Amino acid sequence: MSGEDLGADFFVRLRADLLIIGDSVLTDRHHASNGNYDPRDPQNQIGGLIPSFSLSGWLRHGMERVVQEHGATACHPGESNANFKKDGVYTRDLDAGYHEKGTCLDNDKECVILDLFGGFDDRPGKVMRRPVKFSPVRSGVDYTRGQAEGHYRRLNRNIVSRNEEDGRQPLRNLEVDAVANLDGCWQLVFRETKPEFIGLLAEAVEYLDTYQTDFMHQLGGARNFGGGIIDCALINPLYETHEFRCVFDRSKRATTAMQAKDKEWAEECLPKFRTALRERIEADR
Ligand SMILES: [Zn+2]
């Protein structure tokens, strides 16, 4: 099986109890508000979009780790000629398993990370990362379009006074957008489905799932408070649409056909894509 047989669309299942992406969650609350909307009301039926920037950085970091575990260096996400505020840190990154972005480029060939993410010399990356649309109403979630069930809340954090006589009076109030009980999937579209891309995606998702409680591999803010611990898995690309939907239906179990496809994926397909990844990383050196 070549990568092209599987088409361009791949889905990563994402589950998180709490996700805080700064203030960049886009909500559709304006539809329902009519000026008297209370973002803390649990009855709100608002949904929104989780932009893909943070998700993309999270995935990329996982992929960089995989490349490094294969004994190679990964492309640094920052331009080498950028005026980094922390120049010493950039240099230290280069010592710790990275090469300068773009130095891998040679006769129109680049390392697998640059190939996927692009961004050097205006090169487009070959993986398009879509935002995740979420909704609290499960019946309205179309998983086949990379959507998720998720509950938007606006959280308040108070920084309180430490003076005894103030009685923990708030000094400052901070509001953050949060998505709770997220369960759905993230759609990735390859502009060109190379077998090594699939191998890298599968290995990175596995890595991120294994290290989901590591501070470095949690996603977004509030990580000290358990935010951004992501249960993730690549959804079997061999599934047909009805099988794909079955993954998210708590009333259904995997059918015999699905179990057979899981076996086929794990034992026949994935090893080939992993081999393609190993060969690509070797060729990139
Ligand atoms: Zn590179």
Side-chain angles (χ1 to χ4, degrees):
M1 169 174 292
S2 77
E4 300 294 341
D5 297 336
L6 293 171
D9 298 297
F10 289 77
F11 295 88
V12 177
R13 185 173 193 185
L14 302 175
R15 278 181 289 187
D17 292 336
L18 179 68
L19 196 59
I20 293 177
I21 312 279
D23 54 1
S24 68
V25 167
L26 312 176
T27 61
D28 54 17
R29 66 190 119 165
H30 55 282
H31 288 313
S33 69
N34 199 19
N36 53 14
Y37 165 77
D38 176 1
R40 278 154 301 198
D41 183 348
Q43 297 302 317
N44 286 321
Q45 299 283 294
I46 39 172
L49 276 185
I50 301 166
S52 50
F53 304 108
S54 300
L55 288 165
S56 173
W58 166 78
L59 177 67
R60 178 179 175 137
H61 196 197
M63 288 180 162
E64 290 165 1
R65 279 285 179 272
V66 168
V67 168
Q68 289 163 344
E69 297 228 324
H70 281 274
T73 56
C75 228
H76 198 279
E79 312 288 340
S80 59
N81 59 0
N83 192 5
F84 287 107
K85 269 194 271 183
K86 298 181 176 175
D87 210 26
V89 177
Y90 184 70
T91 312
R92 220 168 60 212
D93 279 357
L94 296 182
D95 293 337
Y98 288 87
H99 56 259
E100 279 182 32
K101 184 181 199 172
T103 51
C104 49
L105 200 57
D106 180 27
N107 292 329
D108 224 35
K109 292 191 70 168
E110 67 267 87
C111 77
V112 66
I113 298 282
L114 187 59
D115 200 5
L116 273 171
F117 290 90
F120 186 79
D121 276 355
D122 290 329
R123 302 170 82 84
K126 295 207 180 66
V127 61
M128 186 170 71
R129 291 83 76 191
R130 298 181 46 138
V132 175
K133 188 174 178 213
F134 68 91
S135 160
V137 185
R138 171 176 282 256
S139 59
V141 177
D142 185 351
Y143 298 101
T144 65
R145 297 184 59 206
Q147 299 182 358
E149 182 182 353
H151 301 260
Y152 170 80
R153 293 287 180 272
R154 175 152 282 196
L155 303 182
N156 274 291
R157 284 177 63 193
N158 285 320
I159 313 292
V160 301
S161 166
R162 260 55 186 164
N163 287 307
E164 188 90 42
E165 62 270 25
D166 291 341
R168 295 183 64 82
Q169 187 189 3
L171 288 175
R172 194 161 80 91
N173 180 266
L174 195 70
E175 293 199 323
V176 289
D177 285 335
V179 183
N181 306 319
L182 184 79
D183 184 5
C185 57
W186 184 29
Q187 184 176 13
L188 300 165
V189 184
F190 289 119
R191 295 198 166 94
E192 189 184 334
T193 312
K194 298 183 184 176
E196 63 265 33
F197 289 167
I198 303 170
L200 183 53
L201 175 63
E203 289 193 13
V205 168
E206 203 182 298
Y207 183 94
L208 288 166
D209 189 63
T210 304
Y211 294 98
Q212 58 177 257
T213 55
D214 276 13
F215 192 78
M216 290 293 279
H217 296 292
Q218 285 166 247
L219 172 62
R223 289 181 287 169
N224 281 329
F225 305 94
I229 296 173
I230 311 287
D231 258 326
C232 58
L234 179 65
I235 297 179
N236 191 338
L238 302 175
Y239 285 168
E240 285 167 43
T241 305
H242 68 278
E243 294 168 327
F244 181 92
R245 287 210 176 90
C246 196
V247 172
F248 298 94
D249 190 337
R250 284 171 201 158
S251 67
K252 292 203 178 106
R253 290 193 178 182
T255 62
T256 318
M258 287 168 75
Q259 287 167 358
K261 284 181 181 178
D262 288 348
K263 194 166 180 308
E264 184 188 348
W265 175 254
E267 293 176 7
E268 291 167 41
C269 309
L270 196 51
K272 286 181 195 154
F273 296 131
R274 283 184 192 266
T275 303
L277 174 65
R278 270 203 311 277
E279 288 170 356
R280 170 69 189 261
I281 291 173
E282 199 54 49
D284 283 347
R285 284 174 201 271

